[in-house]
Amino acid sequence: HKSMLLYHHNAHLKMRITRRRTLSAYCLALSADWGLGFTPSAPPSVSPSFTSTDDIRRSSRSPQAITKLDTASVLTLDDDVAFRPLSVASPSFSPDLTDPKVGVLLLNLGGPETGEDVEGFLYNLFADPDIIRLPPFLAPLQSLVALLISKRRAPKSREAYDSIGGGSPILQYTRAQADLMTKSLKDRYGIEAKTYIGMRYWYPFTEEALTKIREDEINALVILPLYPQFSISTSGSSLRVLQEEFAKKSDLYGPQKMFHTVIPSWYDRPGYVKSVANLIQQELDSFTPEEIAEGTSSEQPIPKHVLFSAHGVPASYIEAGDPYKAQIEDCVERITALLPSEEDGVKVHLSFQSRVGPVEWLRPYTDDVLPSLGEQGVKNLVVVPISFVSEHIETLEEIDIEYRELALESGITNWRRSPALNTDPTFIDDMADMVADALSEPSQTITEACVANNVGNLELEPVSNQLEISSAGVGGVGFEDNLAYSSNMRRGEITNGRIAMIGIIMTCLLEYISGQPLIHLFGISN
């Protein structure tokens, strides 16, 4: 019954959200309604170049909508509560936007800063049902499973972090991005904004950022997840935290106090695409004539290769409507269009990394693609961490150490890795552009962003009830006569995955209780 209620609620959201709001339009409409003397004008067809906060206030709706926004609706964010229409004609329902206080909330994964933080970080990670989704009958054990897995994996993870200096640099890079973006906003648009950082799995947590936002009396908030492509497990998980906080404290974060808009994904922005392409081109240009000659043969006529390595997600998420895979593929196509073609000596590949657990993840896996490229005679390779905008464990350790070693073992002798965007000037300016655009374009609430990107679909219908029937076959070769076979295979994968997950949980539990590896309980020593 709950699934059906969620389904109808989300469908209701999609039907009701017919008119959009902009933060600047809200500011103007309220000011005009209270007789503050601002004269509205029609919204521009392109994003304006603001020079001051007064310009933000003057960017507005049509004259017919200046007294109140009758058609605006406030989302309660509760699954069992419908829409409440809101009239903003009364000052008691509206924040004081005569002097908008703009804030930008940057959302990111987070990471342990020291070895002592690793176990706590892992616990928070695996306690998130968007990361480890247990079968319904095991869902109450989520916290216990997270505790067992984090204790089991902590020693190995500490070794990985020790190999990159003892901790993750993601917070330092995110702070630098925030500072530079704030400066770009002021220098290029005249927008005075305060930036806040909300990490999902380690300090500073999103809840801490919200406290600071409230203390600073921010009344116009732009929410910017630092994930170019939207996924239920990244942006979706971070937005769920915000959604819960906004629902619990609607008197503090509701429209009567603060308007907000979300930028759910931005992989297709020209500035972002160009900045990634520029960094790749620099690595391509670094190959010497000798390396190019080494990489050219009758077996492999294309001397340079680019491998986009994206963070993987379980295949079941894509089946449930997660747009991540399609956005990754579209993103790679856009970047590839700015790179030399195969005729010019560059070939592009795509793979997925960082899979966890026994279930099927997006393919092809990076650790399968690298040996395959070696077998094809590839010698010159640029690896691009396409899902990440900051250096962290999965670029500095997984790619730079593990995958590099695998590539060299596979015969790929000339390895390059395109850096993450970090504080690249083109990227920083595009971040500022995103915020300025968000302040002038139709807004999107947290709930709208979640509905538009199918965040609720994993709860609407159990993934185990969905069968993947594919005619692609192996290696893309058609296999139309065996659709039933593919369905049975998929059902078998789900069953095997469940059995394996239960086995892992039981193994971890027994080892935790006994304090020794499971094999020792049977008198076997290693």
Side-chain angles (χ1 to χ4, degrees), residues 426-465:
T426 303
F427 171 56
I428 295 297
D429 284 345
D430 194 52
M431 289 178 67
D433 294 342
M434 272 192 277
V435 173
D437 290 347
L439 289 168
S440 62
E441 293 177 347
S443 67
Q444 188 171 36
T445 67
I446 295 171
T447 297
E448 291 171 7
C450 289
V451 170
N453 290 280
N454 301 313
V455 171
N457 279 14
L458 286 177
E459 296 172 348
L460 298 178
E461 181 178 0
V463 172
S464 59
N465 291 340

Side-chain angles (χ1 to χ4, degrees), residues 150-161:
S150 60
K151 285 187 173 297
R152 183 182 178 88
R153 294 189 60 161
K156 185 176 181 180
S157 293
R158 284 194 191 95
E159 292 179 6
Y161 281 103

Side-chain angles (χ1 to χ4, degrees), residues 126-169:
F126 294 123
D128 181 2
D130 287 322
I131 298 296
I132 297 293
R133 185 164 293 273
L134 299 176
F137 65 93
L138 291 177
L141 301 177
Q142 183 88 39
S143 296
L144 177 61
V145 171
L147 177 65
L148 298 177
I149 296 178
S150 60
K151 285 187 173 297
R152 183 182 178 88
R153 294 189 60 161
K156 185 176 181 180
S157 293
R158 284 194 191 95
E159 292 179 6
Y161 281 103
D162 286 343
S163 70
I164 63 170
S168 172

